Amino acid sequence: MLTAIIHGLVLAFGLILPLGVQNVFVFNQGITQPNFIRALPVIITASLCDTLLITLAILGVSIIVFGNPIIKLSILLIGIGFLIYMGYLTWKSKPNHQGSEEKALSPKKQMAFAASVSLLNPHAIMDTIGVIGTSSLSYSGTDKLLFALSCIFVSWIWFFGLAFIGRMTGKFFDSQRFIIILNKISAIIMWCTAIYLATTL
């Protein structure tokens, strides 16, 4: 029982730690939103999407995806196109000069973008379904449930913490130049991810 919990915590933390598209977006919203409460839509949406992916993975979808090369190829192609497009938009985006209230994304846009970078990111899907789904096969019953809950717990704590760190960073480095640089870094990460995924085709 304890082994399943520790395994879930360590594995999920290892998968979510790298600075990827999803993490950069949540962090960015922590900076641009006028207060932490306004960043809750992106935090909750990203956490719910991870919860959905982890649940599907452990319920056995990993066997279906990795057993069907057409489904796997389709996910990769859609994801690569999405990352290239999102990278372009992010690179071109500039902070609004009329104040943080207007340059921050609305709750609806936060939720839409967060869902997109979570559910249409093939790297996250392959990690979640492939690694977590496969790892869960060594457990059954209560242990499998505890393993799943541990992985989900890490996602929720991580996104809340990431947005909070972004908020604190925004207080000390509240400048349009900082946001522009962050957007450029985010775009480069998206393009690098797309290139990496293209090499796996």
Side-chain angles (χ1 to χ4, degrees):
M1 187 176 292
L2 184 59
T3 301
I5 295 173
I6 295 174
H7 185 194
L9 293 174
V10 173
L11 181 64
F13 185 72
L15 290 175
I16 204 170
L17 183 60
L19 187 64
V21 180
Q22 187 185 43
N23 284 342
V24 171
F25 182 70
V26 174
F27 181 78
N28 201 352
Q29 288 307 298
I31 291 176
T32 58
Q33 294 300 324
N35 56 62
F36 184 75
I37 300 298
R38 293 285 294 274
L40 284 178
V42 70
I43 297 170
I44 294 173
T45 302
S47 300
L48 286 174
C49 287
D50 264 23
T51 299
L52 175 63
L53 289 175
I54 291 169
T55 301
L56 290 175
I58 295 177
L59 287 177
V61 174
S62 56
I63 298 173
I64 299 174
V65 172
F66 286 93
N68 191 323
I70 295 177
I71 294 177
K72 183 177 179 180
L73 178 63
S74 298
I75 291 174
L76 283 170
L77 291 175
I78 292 171
I80 289 170
F82 166 76
L83 288 171
I84 292 172
Y85 177 68
M86 280 292 294
Y88 172 77
L89 292 181
T90 304
W91 183 273
K92 289 288 187 181
S93 65
K94 295 180 181 179
N96 195 309
H97 292 270
Q98 298 177 350
S100 60
E101 285 289 342
E102 293 191 20
K103 73 187 178 187
L105 290 179
S106 67
K108 185 181 291 185
K109 286 185 177 180
Q110 283 186 62
M111 294 168 68
F113 274 72
S116 297
V117 297
S118 301
L119 301 178
L120 292 179
N121 183 348
H123 187 70
I125 293 173
M126 295 305 171
D127 273 356
T128 307
I129 295 179
V131 180
I132 293 179
T134 302
S135 298
S136 70
L137 296 177
S138 59
Y139 300 108
S140 61
T142 303
D143 284 346
K144 177 169 283 193
L145 177 62
L146 291 173
F147 175 80
L149 292 176
S150 298
C151 292
I152 291 169
F153 174 76
V154 169
S155 288
W156 283 82
I157 293 299
W158 174 260
F159 290 126
F160 269 94
L162 196 61
F164 180 76
I165 292 172
R167 181 63 193 152
M168 293 299 100
T169 302
K171 282 186 176 181
F172 292 105
F173 303 96
D174 187 16
S175 67
Q176 295 177 354
R177 181 173 176 78
F178 182 81
I179 296 172
I180 290 173
I181 292 173
L182 184 63
N183 284 341
K184 301 295 186 190
I185 294 172
S186 177
I188 291 171
I189 289 172
M190 291 182 195
W191 289 333
C192 288
T193 303
I195 292 171
Y196 169 75
L197 292 171
T199 63
T200 66
L201 293 175

